[in-house]
Amino acid sequence: MKVFPRRRGAVLVNSALGVALLGAAALAYTVLDDGSGTTAAKAPVRTATVTKGTVLATVSGTGTLASPTDAAQDFTTGGRLTAVKVAVGDQVTKGQVLATVDTTAAQQQVDAAQAALNTASVNLTKARAGVTTTTVQQLPAKANGSSGSSGSSGSSGGGTSGANGTGGTGGTGSRGAGGSSASAPAADPSGQTAPSAQATVPAAPVAVPEPQTTTISTTKVDEAAVAQAEQQLATAQTNLSNAQTALAGTTLTASVDGTVASVAAKAGDTVGATGGGSSTGGTKSTGSSATAPSGFIVLTNPTGMQVTANFSELDSLKLKKGEAATVTLNAQSDSRFNASVLSVSPLPVSGSGGGSAAVQYSATLQISGDTSKLRTGLSATVSVVTGEADNALSLPTSALSGTGSSRTATVVHQDGTTDRVTVEVGVEGDTTVQVLTGLNEGDKVELASTSGSNGFPNGSFPGANGGQGGRNGGGAGAGAGVAGIGGGAAAGGAGAARGGGR
């Protein structure tokens, strides 16, 4: 077939327009089919199996370590240091002498207090003895009565024979009368009475009794003076005790076993006195931070190390004395120690809750095990077990819907069917929850769908499909426009060909 030159140009134009139409159609198909031309594959159902195990509920906090036996050692009596017997790093035992100060002034005070006590004791003895007054009184005289003694009857005397044939003189008899006696006339041997001489006996003198006297002693005790003396004695005893304590305070001894951490002065320096002397209250803590004690000598002892940690107000309500915990050193994450809750502060941590800061409460925990290598001030993370269920049915918390002790779950059966059931839960752990009723061991429970790689159920961000549709619509419009252009061009080419044919 012979092709004329004019008709050959029309064929070329029509061929170019056909190629353009095919390209536009392909572009339109690609745009329209992107995301909407194919049906998205249905996401697979994710399930969790109900199993038996241990469910742990824990709360966490951060804090620092401190030893309750860290102690500051200070003199109770100040003065010039005469000796410092320890150095930093030395191991000391309770009662060991650490340092001494000059005792001269303290000893003088003891001597003066002892003398005052002796004087007060003597004064009290005198006051209790009182004042004794002695008086002599004459007893009244008694009346003296006298009675005469009756005379005794005379006895007849024996006659004597007279000499030269003369008759003897007969014996004379006497009769007592009124205590006196008179001799009777002598009888003559011839029977005649002979005259006799009458003797007079003088009366005995009457004794005058001496006056009788008696001695009376009266003791008077002044109760007011006794009370005053007793008070003076008590004051003197107190002063002596204080003076003796001050004298003992010139020698500083270790209040606990430990290691000397610091010594603040040397022999010859002057040190002051503290009212409390040695302090064994341990490291002071403010919230979760610990401050080491300060004093003339500081002793440290890791025995009985504790940790004070801060917890959020919600977590602090779950803490109870005796709950088990794990302490992990921040400087050594592989160093873990068992601990137990000793106490929970009823007051918020100083400075927490101000402005937008959350309120926190501190808890003190006792670390168990070997703490010999621990130091005061080390930072740590504390995890406290607030609930535990052993050999319990459990499943992931994300498999349940709702809050509280009653929740719901979707059970997936082997044939693919599902049932919505009510589940009673117990201990709610960090990632799992204890199942009390509603599910059995081995049940499969549907989890929330997260089929997309970005975590959204359909794999795309919310609103992305609408945007894709807009783009698709725009692409369709663009394709139609291209097709229209191609059609117009084809019509023009055809007209040109017809015109050329004529």
Side-chain angles (χ1 to χ4, degrees), residues 59 322-327 337-341 365-366 368 382-385:
V59 295
E323 289 179 334
T326 301
V327 178
F337 300 87
N338 294 328
S340 61
V341 178
L365 298 91
Q366 181 68 58
S368 57
V382 180
S383 179
V384 182
V385 179

Side-chain angles (χ1 to χ4, degrees), residues 69-71 73 92-95 253-258 280 299 301:
T69 55
D70 287 350
Q73 311 293 295
V92 299
T93 58
K94 183 178 180 178
T253 58
S255 59
V256 294
D257 297 342
T280 56
L299 302 180
N301 190 341

Side-chain angles (χ1 to χ4, degrees), residues 5-33:
R6 178 178 286 183
R7 185 167 293 183
R8 183 183 301 166
V11 171
L12 293 175
V13 171
N14 289 334
S15 299
L17 292 175
V19 173
L21 288 173
L22 291 175
L27 175 62
Y29 176 81
T30 302
V31 174
L32 291 173
D33 188 64

Side-chain angles (χ1 to χ4, degrees), residues 334-404:
D334 58 341
S335 298
R336 289 183 173 86
F337 300 87
N338 294 328
S340 61
V341 178
L342 286 180
S343 62
V344 181
S345 175
L347 299 176
V349 175
S350 177
S352 70
S356 60
V359 176
Q360 292 184 318
Y361 291 84
S362 66
T364 301
L365 298 91
Q366 181 68 58
I367 300 176
S368 57
D370 182 14
T371 59
S372 59
K373 296 182 179 180
L374 299 181
R375 296 180 180 179
T376 293
L378 289 175
S379 59
T381 300
V382 180
S383 179
V384 182
V385 179
T386 58
E388 181 176 358
D390 296 324
N391 196 28
L393 293 176
S394 64
L395 77 166
T397 306
S398 59
L400 299 177
S401 300
T403 58

Side-chain angles (χ1 to χ4, degrees), residues 117-498:
L117 178 61
N118 295 339
T119 301
S121 179
V122 172
N123 292 339
L124 177 59
T125 301
K126 291 181 179 179
R128 287 175 175 173
V131 178
T132 301
T133 303
T134 302
T135 58
V136 178
Q137 293 184 354
Q138 183 174 353
L139 296 176
K142 295 182 179 179
N144 293 327
S146 60
S147 58
S149 58
S150 58
S152 60
S153 59
S155 60
S156 58
T160 60
S161 59
N164 301 322
T166 305
T169 304
T172 61
S174 63
R175 182 179 57 183
S180 60
S181 62
S183 59
D188 187 82
S190 60
Q192 296 179 352
T193 302
S196 59
Q198 187 174 3
T200 301
V201 179
V206 179
V208 179
E210 295 181 358
Q212 299 296 318
T213 60
T214 183
T215 301
I216 300 175
S217 297
T218 302
T219 301
K220 183 178 181 181
V221 177
D222 188 345
E223 297 299 335
V226 172
Q228 182 179 4
E230 289 176 343
Q231 181 61 41
Q232 291 175 347
L233 180 64
T235 301
Q237 290 173 336
T238 300
N239 292 340
L240 177 60
S241 178
N242 293 340
Q244 291 172 339
T245 300
L247 179 60
T250 59
T251 300
L252 181 62
T253 58
S255 59
V256 294
D257 297 342
T259 302
V260 178
S262 65
V263 179
K266 62 182 182 299
D269 293 344
T270 300
V271 295
T274 60
S278 298
S279 172
T280 56
T283 303
K284 297 181 180 179
S285 61
T286 303
S288 62
S289 61
T291 303
S294 60
F296 168 60
I297 293 177
V298 175
L299 302 180
T300 61
N301 190 341
T303 302
M305 188 69 72
Q306 298 176 352
V307 58
T308 301
N310 292 344
F311 296 85
S312 68
E313 54 185 326
L314 177 60
D315 289 344
S316 68
L317 296 176
K318 303 176 184 178
L319 297 176
K320 295 180 178 61
K321 182 178 180 179
E323 289 179 334
T326 301
V327 178
T328 304
L329 298 182
N330 294 342
Q332 296 178 335
S333 58
D334 58 341
S335 298
R336 289 183 173 86
F337 300 87
N338 294 328
S340 61
V341 178
L342 286 180
S343 62
V344 181
S345 175
L347 299 176
V349 175
S350 177
S352 70
S356 60
V359 176
Q360 292 184 318
Y361 291 84
S362 66
T364 301
L365 298 91
Q366 181 68 58
I367 300 176
S368 57
D370 182 14
T371 59
S372 59
K373 296 182 179 180
L374 299 181
R375 296 180 180 179
T376 293
L378 289 175
S379 59
T381 300
V382 180
S383 179
V384 182
V385 179
T386 58
E388 181 176 358
D390 296 324
N391 196 28
L393 293 176
S394 64
L395 77 166
T397 306
S398 59
L400 299 177
S401 300
T403 58
S405 61
S406 180
R407 306 185 187 183
T408 58
T410 301
V411 178
V412 180
H413 301 290
Q414 291 182 354
D415 58 0
T417 60
T418 60
D419 285 329
R420 197 72 173 171
V421 297
T422 300
V423 180
E424 297 294 327
V425 300
V427 176
E428 185 171 359
D430 300 331
T431 59
T432 59
V433 63
Q434 178 189 10
V435 176
L436 299 178
T437 61
L439 294 173
N440 298 315
E441 185 177 5
D443 286 348
K444 292 186 179 299
V445 180
E446 183 179 351
L447 296 173
S449 177
T450 55
S451 60
S453 60
N454 54 17
F456 292 98
N458 61 358
S460 61
F461 291 96
N465 289 338
Q468 183 67 32
R471 288 193 298 273
N472 290 342
V482 172
I485 294 172
R498 286 194 298 270

